[in-house]
Amino acid sequence: MEIIEKIKTNKSIDNLTEIQKICLNKLQSSPLPNPKSEQWRLSNKSKFSNFLNYSVNEKDPIFDIPFPKTSQSTIRLVIGDNCQTNFIEENFSIKQISEDKLVKYIKEQISYFDQNENWSDLLNLSLNCTKNILGLKINGSEIPPIEIFSHASSNSLNAKTLVIFLEKNCDIDLLQVNLGKDNSSLSQSTFLCLEENSSINHGVVSYGENKSNLLNSLNVIQQNNSEYNLGSLHFKFNYARFEIRIKQSKGNAKTNIKGMQITKKDEQISTFTKIDFHGPNGFLDQINKSLADDKSHAIFEGSIIVPKIAQKTDASQLSRNLLLSNLAQIDTKPQLEIIADDVKCKHGATISQLNEEELFYMRTRGITLTEASKLQLSSYFQEIISFIPVSQDRWDLLDKLLNEN
Amino acid sequence: MVNENLVKDVVKEPYKYGFVTDIETEKIAKGLNEDIVRLISQKKEEPKFLLDFRLKAFKKWQKMKEPDWAALGYKKIDYQDIIYYSAPKQKEKISSLDEVDPKLLETFDKLGIPLTEQKKLTNVAVDAVFDSVSIATTFREELAEHGVIFCSISEAVKNHSDLIEKYLGTVVPASDNYFAALNSAVFSDGSFVYIPKGVTCPMDLSSYFRINSGDSGQFERTLIIAEESSSVSYLEGCTAPMFDTNTLHAAVVELIALDDASIKYSTVQNWYAGDEEGIGGIFNFVTKRGKCLGKRSKISWSQVETGSAITWKYPSCLLLGEESVGEFYSVALTNNLQQADTGTKMIHIGPKTKSTIVSKGISAGKSINSYRGLVKMGTKATGSRNYSQCDSMLIGDQASANTFPYIKSQQPNSEIEHEASTCRISEDQLFYLQSRGIEFEEAVSMMVSGFCRDVFNQLPMEFAAEADKLLALKLEGSVG
């Protein structure tokens, strides 16, 4: 693995940023995550090493997407060279975070990192030069929806980082799109900090191509009375990991998550979530759906941590899975770790195939089996897709999914 | 706050089985090596195949590492500081119960175990295991009339060595895990049950395990074989004296059910749990597994876990036979500094297999109570179903309740459902019951018992009553 070799020897190279140096230092002692640890146990080893096989591309790939063009009503940003932040700074209350502040914040985050759990972030930050880190400070509530793109180029590994501070009383819709290319790897790390009374509708859509790989990690810190709504969709990646870590730092915050991953062929897509309640009166409603077809493998692991301080927490987590083929497999592990006693916590998990009775009913009404399956799938998808902001009017995600299934 | 201290007081009942029987015992030297394994085998006059089995297991154990994935923290066990064989001294061969040391009989009497056959009314046959050896088995003749074999495993090795050779280690192989390998190398005694074809065992069978010495570990092994169309209900109870050292208990239980056979295995585990500061108590590392080999066979585990400082136990079912059924009903109560990591594994291999898991965890004091379970649907398990339900009850804000369900499916034509919830004894409920003239402690006990009802309903009658009482006693003083 070329990258790991590079990490091991990179110390001698000059002009590394301070953050790169810190992360490389951390990685040098154990450059790879422990394959026996809970977070990496099920990860397909050959696919993972394939992810690391591409060399790092610091040049900016050509931005060419299958999705709609910019419109007047949304702000579009592409992480990398072409990022036109000047224009936004002039027109909206969005500021780019100064490099000093960005470095200070990221350094603070790194100090909390766990080598295994945050391995994806460490890798991302150690590969990333400054131009691929976008830091924004957003203020006010009259802000149009924002679309932020991260994209990879064929035969290389691209690393992109996004840091967003949402100031007090701010309210935004944000859609993040990760685009994979043929034979490519994309490492995307996102850090969101929601200040008091702020609220964000966050969508994450990761759309790959043939043999594209993705390591996507999302770190969210929520202050008092903030509301975080996340709708996510991952599909068409040969290998993808989506790691979500949310910390309600003082409690009294609301988190809603609706996520979905769709695997076909011999793909492996996994979602790991860790929700940490660090104060009382926290709320969580989470649903994660997986659909596995052909020879693919879908994984979900979600943990909810409720320490003593987090009294009156109300958390629920549901993992719903559809297994559509004899050769596909699904692993799911929703878990609760609770110490506070005055809490309402529950989780559930189901694995099944399409409901036969419902299919039969539709067929007796003259709907063909293919159409009936499509109808069922569309209702299965719709719950998640309708939760992804911005996409609804402009992006026909549902059609895309249905046509491919 | 409603009577916080009062509820805490409800859980503080002293351990009443903590006495030591002063009896002369025969012990071998501390430590574990190949010679000790040979010595144990020699003392038990075992055939060669069993010695080989032990030596092979010992070699494997030496290469293995103690597992550390469970949510348990305990001081390192020094395996060389344990006596691996300890037996009460008595005449070489006992022809009837009258020849058993009266002190031993007295011990079991104190524990409420009907060893003397005057207590026939209870209609339960008992095999009593004291430290490393089985001292008595009751009702043998009556059982023999039906062709049922119920004896200690050492006797079975002598009298039914063909069955032992055929089945021992087929469900839990010696290399299965660290503690199973240790047990396979040094197991001293345990029970053996064989139910012939078409026989419904005329009475409940029961084993009672008692650890008496503080420095010897207990490593018993149980093997139950139910032939075609037979059925049996087996009960298991455990107690130990109070010592301020930790005693190791590493048992292996293997169940085999052939076509249409059914085995019901119930446990009330009440090993000494250590004191309030967490000093002493049994380290309980148990491997229990059943193999539903035959078509329509059924294995049902029910357990009430209240004792032990550390519990590491996952009674599981391998569902191989078509339409076989696995069940797991569990109540695990932890208090003070107890730690329990317990659950089950349901491995669906054959088609149309079904499993049900109902687990209730109650954590009080500063204890840690985790449910860890695996449900796996193999590629051939078409039309299989699983339903799991894990509920936790938290008493006080220092105890922790964890749920770790691992679910894996490779068969689209199967269904898995899992749900888990957490609750506590609410002030409203307590207030309501108290306003109806029910005393506080009784109210707590009622609510705990209601919480556990789904499991208690599965226990044999007398066990259910005992379990209910046991929980009430254990919880005395801890709700708040």
Side-chain angles (χ1 to χ4, degrees), chain A residues 263-265 291-296 322-330 352-354, chain B residues 379 409-413:
Chain A
T263 56
K264 307 189 82 181
K265 296 178 194 156
L291 183 145
D293 205 346
D294 302 330
K295 289 185 207 162
S296 66
L322 280 183
L323 187 57
L324 296 184
S325 141
N326 277 330
L327 298 168
Q329 55 174 318
I330 285 177
S352 62
Q353 56 178 355
L354 294 174
Chain B
T379 45
S409 180
Q410 295 173 298
Q411 174 47 254
N413 192 15

Side-chain angles (χ1 to χ4, degrees), chain B residues 6 8 30 61 64 82 103 107 125 134 177 179 224 232 308 327 354 376 399 443 453:
Chain B
L6 211 76
K8 282 199 175 117
K30 275 184 181 173
W61 178 75
M64 290 168 114
I82 295 171
K103 265 191 190 159
T107 305
S134 162
N177 66 68
F179 297 105
I224 299 178
V232 61
S308 297
E327 290 177 342
K354 288 189 173 55
K376 186 176 172 183
R453 174 172 298 170

Side-chain angles (χ1 to χ4, degrees), chain A residues 124-348:
Chain A
N124 177 281
L125 294 168
S126 67
L127 298 176
N128 221 340
C129 54
T130 327
K131 68 167 187 186
N132 283 329
I133 303 182
L134 175 63
L136 298 175
K137 195 179 214 174
I138 303 173
N139 199 343
S141 56
E142 305 274 311
I143 294 170
I146 307 170
E147 290 174 355
I148 297 180
F149 287 83
S150 298
H151 61 303
S153 50
S154 290
N155 299 312
S156 61
L157 191 155
N158 290 78
K160 311 273 166 136
T161 313
L162 174 66
V163 180
I164 291 184
F165 285 104
L166 212 57
E167 298 203 322
K168 278 182 191 167
N169 306 315
C170 184
D171 180 0
I172 61 160
D173 282 1
L174 167 71
L175 177 69
Q176 228 183 317
V177 183
N178 303 310
L179 294 170
K181 271 273 172 196
D182 258 7
N183 294 307
S184 71
S185 293
L186 177 64
S187 158
Q188 166 67 44
S189 282
T190 307
F191 298 87
L192 287 179
C193 183
L194 277 73
E195 290 189 5
E196 284 172 32
N197 296 317
S198 62
S199 139
I200 177 168
N201 293 321
H202 187 194
V204 176
V205 176
S206 301
Y207 183 68
E209 272 181 26
N210 191 29
K211 297 211 171 145
S212 43
N213 305 298
L214 171 72
L215 273 191
N216 184 14
S217 93
L218 172 61
N219 300 284
V220 183
I221 295 174
Q222 284 186 263
Q223 309 275 17
N224 265 336
N225 293 320
S226 60
E227 183 173 336
Y228 179 64
N229 300 315
L230 171 69
S232 72
L233 172 64
H234 285 70
F235 64 118
K236 286 193 88 176
F237 280 94
N238 185 37
Y239 173 80
R241 271 175 78 90
F242 184 29
E243 301 169 1
I244 308 170
R245 286 174 280 273
I246 297 174
K247 188 170 170 183
Q248 295 195 354
S249 61
K250 293 193 176 104
N252 291 310
K254 260 179 107 171
T255 311
N256 289 296
I257 304 173
K258 293 191 179 182
M260 181 156 69
Q261 52 200 9
I262 295 165
T263 56
K264 307 189 82 181
K265 296 178 194 156
D266 70 334
E267 300 164 354
Q268 184 186 55
I269 302 187
S270 37
T271 300
F272 297 81
T273 68
K274 181 179 171 188
I275 322 290
D276 220 329
F277 293 91
H278 263 252
N281 302 312
F283 174 86
L284 167 75
D285 185 7
Q286 180 180 11
I287 175 163
N288 190 81
K289 293 187 175 182
S290 304
L291 183 145
D293 205 346
D294 302 330
K295 289 185 207 162
S296 66
H297 187 186
I299 302 163
F300 170 72
E301 277 194 36
S303 67
I304 296 177
I305 296 162
V306 187
K308 191 178 164 186
I309 193 169
Q311 295 290 359
K312 308 257 181 220
T313 295
D314 182 350
S316 61
Q317 184 178 61
L318 181 62
S319 159
R320 290 190 58 197
N321 304 281
L322 280 183
L323 187 57
L324 296 184
S325 141
N326 277 330
L327 298 168
Q329 55 174 318
I330 285 177
D331 278 85
T332 177
K333 190 179 138 205
Q335 52 175 319
L336 293 169
E337 289 174 50
I338 300 166
I339 296 181
D341 62 337
D342 189 7
V343 296
K344 273 191 235 165
C345 286
K346 51 187 188 258
H347 69 213

Side-chain angles (χ1 to χ4, degrees), chain B residues 221-286:
Chain B
R221 196 155 182 123
T222 302
L223 175 60
I224 299 178
I225 302 154
E227 287 278 3
E228 279 171 42
S229 310
S230 65
S231 82
V232 61
S233 164
Y234 185 89
L235 329 171
E236 178 193 76
C238 334
T239 58
M242 295 196 274
F243 288 112
D244 51 14
T245 51
N246 299 109
T247 315
L248 176 65
H249 172 250
V252 169
V253 175
E254 296 179 283
L255 312 183
I256 294 157
L258 299 174
D259 285 2
D260 297 299
S262 108
I263 301 175
K264 187 180 175 71
Y265 195 105
S266 317
T267 308
V268 171
Q269 185 261 103
N270 189 18
W271 296 115
Y272 177 52
D275 66 8
E276 280 166 45
E277 270 85 50
I279 296 168
I282 303 283
F283 285 177
N284 189 28
F285 296 92
V286 181

